[in-house]
């Protein structure tokens, strides 16, 4: 089996190393030469648990081949499109990488005789696989989809931080194809790959598969904005705690406990982008999706709850030094895209506070976008002599900080637990002030 993967971001690269791990030859294609050079040396351009090990192994076994051109896709049985679909200014999905990759595939397909299936893994608006990818390839290659090559939508549901695990243990596989032959090839491919595990396969058409991906992400995003709404209410009712509420409602099997962690809002390269894309899409269709608009609006305001909590103790932040623990959009990644910390830091700057920041992994990334703040290499250096501290990412090492440590090093131990990383029981009695998202304080 020979597979080509176009676009080596989190989805493309993770898929590549997992396939290589099962002895499949993978041509890994990206137009970014720097990325290809680095990857060819066995270095991952971003941190992802377990990825480096699998990458080195794939190179050693010669199952992974990195290149900037499309020459080797001729040999492939399946060509996976995993290029990025960033947001345009109006929130819609930018499909320029999809278009250019489709043109390159079309060029190569001109001279290919065997039946290859093009699987679109990128998150794209419904209709893209058929109306853009298929049309471009047909036009350029002068071949017919279904007869000469196959095409399907095959969305991806992996999460950053657990990308390898999620790829090897998916809840389901969605194959959206408008022709039976492509569906069968993809189904056989996945059944063989996951054997002896039996992963449910959802069979549908391409446009439904594309919408499933948006529905999945916007449902999870809505679940987060929902629990954050409850947290904001709970925070204002003395004695209540959103963590208990989430535990109790999560035990209702119709709700389930996952994605009910209240905090400062969702970030990353997917939820914010996909929620705005589906809103944009619906509006173009003449429907205003009020629920999703409010999911987005709630999320945009949520990081500022941490500043409101901070201001309870420090009404005027001018010239105060505030430490922010955590820059990554979630733990176990160096990714800061749409991270809530960035919004918090911008607001603190506006209020003329001095800012110290720390993150176990994302400092280098953050230095590119954040200026005029103090980047610290240790937690101690970050909180030292500060007037208040906001926990913005729930890294394991922050969960282990004791109240005594904050008390010893901060000017005044005012702690805002934006991610419910610390024990309210211990912290409420031991630091000068402990405020947490969703925690209704008695005083
Ligand atoms: C998300 C989806 O979970 C994946 O299924 C999907 O494949 C991916 O987007 C994508 O479209 O590529 P990811 O963005 O990597 O994955 O990370 P998540 O673990 O979903 O977290 C997203 C954000 O939600 C983070 O900022 C996290 O802190 C926040 N979150 C998550 C909460 O605030 N509360 C929760 O209970 C869960």
């Amino acid at each position: 089996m020979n597979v080509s993967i176009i676009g080596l971001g989190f989805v493309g690269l993770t898929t590549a190393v997992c396939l290589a791990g099962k002895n499949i030859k993978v041509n890994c294609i990206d137009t970014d030469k720097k990325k290809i050079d680095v990857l060819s040396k066995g270095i991952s351009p971003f941190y992802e648990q377990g990825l480096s090990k699998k990458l080195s192994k794939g190179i050693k076994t010669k199952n992974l081949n990195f290149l900037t051109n499309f020459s080797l896709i001729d040999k492939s049985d399946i060509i996976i499109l995993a290029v990025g679909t960033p947001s345009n200014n109006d929130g819609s999905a930018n499909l320029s990488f999809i278009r250019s990759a489709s043109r390159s595939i079309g060029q190569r397909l001109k001279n290919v005789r065997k039946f290859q299936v093009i699987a679109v893994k990128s998150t794209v608006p419904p209709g893209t696989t058929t109306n853009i990818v298929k049309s471009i390839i047909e036009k350029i290659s002068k071949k017919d989809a279904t007869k000469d090559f196959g095409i399907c939508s095959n969305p991806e549901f992996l999460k950053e931080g657990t990308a390898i695990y999620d790829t090897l243990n998916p809840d389901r596989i969605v194959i959206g194809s408008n022709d039976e032959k492509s569906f069968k090839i993809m189904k056989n491919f996945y059944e063989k790959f996951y054997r002896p595990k039996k992963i449910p396969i959802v069979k549908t058409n391409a446009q439904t598969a594309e919408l499933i991906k948006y529905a999945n992400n916007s449902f999870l995003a809505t679940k987060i904005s929902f629990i954050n709404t409850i947290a904001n209410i709970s925070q204002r009712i003395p004695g209540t705690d959103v963590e208990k509420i989430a535990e109790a409602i999560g035990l209702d099997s119709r709700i389930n406990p996952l994605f009910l962690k209240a905090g400062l809002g969702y970030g990353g390269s997917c939820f914010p982008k996909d929620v705005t894309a589906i809103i944009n899409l619906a509006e173009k269709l003449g429907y205003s999706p009020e629920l999703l608009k409010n999911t987005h609006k709630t999320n945009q305001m949520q990081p500022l709850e941490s500043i409101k909590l901070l201001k309870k103790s420090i009404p005027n932040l001018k010239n105060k030094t505030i430490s922010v623990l955590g820059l990554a959009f979630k733990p176990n990644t160096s990714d800061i895209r749409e991270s809530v910390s960035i919004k918090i830091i911008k607001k603190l700057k506006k209020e003329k506070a001095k800012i110290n920041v720390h993150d176990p992994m994302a400092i280098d990334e953050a230095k590119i976008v954040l200026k005029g703040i103090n980047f610290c290499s240790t937690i101690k250096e970050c909180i030292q002599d500060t007037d208040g501290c906001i926990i913005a990412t729930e890294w394991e090492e922050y969960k282990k900080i004791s109240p005594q440590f904050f008390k010893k090093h901060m000017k005044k131990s005012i702690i805002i637990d934006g991610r419910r990383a610390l024990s309210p029981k211990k912290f409420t009695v031991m630091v000068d002030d402990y405020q947490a998202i969703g925690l209704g304080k008695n005083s």
Side-chain angles (χ1 to χ4, degrees), residues 315-335:
N316 185 359
L317 292 168
K318 193 173 174 190
N319 291 329
K320 299 284 184 213
T321 309
I322 307 300
S323 40
V324 177
L325 292 177
L327 294 163
F329 85 95
K330 66 175 188 178
N332 300 319
T333 175
S334 58
D335 196 343

Side-chain angles (χ1 to χ4, degrees), residues 235-267:
Q235 212 167 284
R236 289 158 175 86
I237 305 173
T240 59
D241 186 353
V242 74
E243 294 262 288
K244 260 292 159 224
I245 297 167
E247 181 193 328
I249 66 171
L251 286 170
D252 186 324
S253 57
R254 294 166 301 176
I255 297 176
N256 105 24
L258 302 172
F259 281 72
L260 277 184
K261 178 85 183 165
L264 295 175
Y266 57 80

Side-chain angles (χ1 to χ4, degrees), residues 157-158 160 213 217 259-261 266-267 270-271 329-330:
F157 302 98
L158 62 80
E160 286 185 28
K213 172 68 190 196
N217 272 1
F259 281 72
L260 277 184
K261 178 85 183 165
Y266 57 80
C270 306
F271 287 171
F329 85 95
K330 66 175 188 178

Side-chain angles (χ1 to χ4, degrees), residues 21 71 89-90 103 118 126 142 148 166 193 231 264 274 334 350 375 428 439:
S71 56
N89 286 340
D90 64 354
R103 283 194 290 271
I118 292 111
K142 304 214 163 32
D148 304 315
D166 293 346
F193 180 78
L264 295 175
D274 293 349
S334 58
K350 231 181 181 171
F375 291 97
T428 305
L439 185 69

Side-chain angles (χ1 to χ4, degrees), residues 33 42 51 76 104 117 184-185 198 223 236 244 295 298-299 314 347 378 394:
K33 191 176 173 315
L51 187 97
S76 296
S104 303
V117 180
K184 277 199 179 131
I185 292 172
K198 279 201 180 327
K223 209 173 169 188
R236 289 158 175 86
K244 260 292 159 224
T295 290
T298 303
N299 194 59
I314 317 174
K347 178 71 179 161
T378 63
E394 67 278 32

